């Protein structure tokens, strides 16, 4: 967390020195700040910080991809003349165990069209998910585990 704060401060310093706050210049300042933190490594950042930034970016890109694909699937389902869906609720066993990770996973599932996080069990080991098409719940479980859950664990562990 300190490395991110230092990187943001270096970005602001870069914008102040260069005299431009355009989005391109801010991205350049962020990248230069990350490289500077990589150089000083031990006390303030290093390879672990850059790895985490890359993992978070990868998670965001996966979410955007899944968001667009599921929106297209839901639109195709709604516009089709014959409705051949099988809605249902399935239990997803959680590998993530921290509150932040569970909340992030539940919110990412809810924000993806066609799925909705319904509840988390009291022992925080099961997430109940409603799916617009629950004809293959095992495939849905695998998709969540290999997608969102794996990326969340890579980014925040």
């Amino acid at each position: 967390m300190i490395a991110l704060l230092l990187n943001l401060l270096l970005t602001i310093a870069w914008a102040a020195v260069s005299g431009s706050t355009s989005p391109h210049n801010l991205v350049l300042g962020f990248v230069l700040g990350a490289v500077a933190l990589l150089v000083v490594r031990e006390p303030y950042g290093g390879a672990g910080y850059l790895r985490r930034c890359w993992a978070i970016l990868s998670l965001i890109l996966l979410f955007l991809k899944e968001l667009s694909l599921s929106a297209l699937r839901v639109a195709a389902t709604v516009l089709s003349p014959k409705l051949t869906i099988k809605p249902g609720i399935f239990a997803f066993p959680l590998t993530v165990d921290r509150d932040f990770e569970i909340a992030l996973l539940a919110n990412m599932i809810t924000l993806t069209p066609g799925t909705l996080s319904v509840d988390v069990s009291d022992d925080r080991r099961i997430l109940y998910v409603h799916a617009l098409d629950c004809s293959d719940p095992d495939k849905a479980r695998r998709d969540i585990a290999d997608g969102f859950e794996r990326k969340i664990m890579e980014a925040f562990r």
Side-chain angles (χ1 to χ4, degrees), residues 104-151:
L104 182 61
L105 177 63
N107 285 319
M108 291 179 97
I109 289 171
T110 296
L111 289 172
T112 306
T115 55
L116 177 71
S117 300
V118 178
D119 195 15
V120 178
S121 65
D122 290 335
D123 61 358
R124 299 177 0 191
R125 294 177 191 247
I126 306 266
L127 176 67
Y128 296 98
V129 178
H130 178 274
L132 183 63
D133 188 11
C134 195
S135 55
D136 189 4
D138 290 331
K139 181 183 180 307
R141 282 186 201 98
R142 276 193 312 275
D143 288 344
I144 293 171
D146 294 340
F148 290 147
E149 191 174 41
R150 182 177 57 84
K151 290 289 186 180

Side-chain angles (χ1 to χ4, degrees), residues 15-93:
V17 168
S18 66
S20 172
T21 58
S22 69
H24 293 24
N25 195 41
L26 290 174
V27 169
L28 177 64
F30 189 83
V31 170
L32 289 175
V35 169
L37 288 174
L38 182 63
V39 169
V40 295
R41 281 197 188 190
E42 293 307 317
Y44 301 110
Y49 168 68
L50 292 178
R51 227 177 287 116
R52 177 170 280 189
C53 285
W54 178 252
I56 291 172
L57 179 64
S58 175
L59 175 64
I60 291 169
L61 292 175
L62 173 70
F63 175 70
L64 292 175
K65 177 187 139 201
E66 290 295 326
L67 180 71
S68 58
L69 288 176
S70 63
L72 290 173
R73 273 188 238 116
V74 168
T77 301
V78 169
L79 295 174
S80 69
K82 186 177 179 189
L83 212 54
T84 59
I85 60 172
K86 184 180 175 189
I89 295 176
F90 63 91
F92 176 74

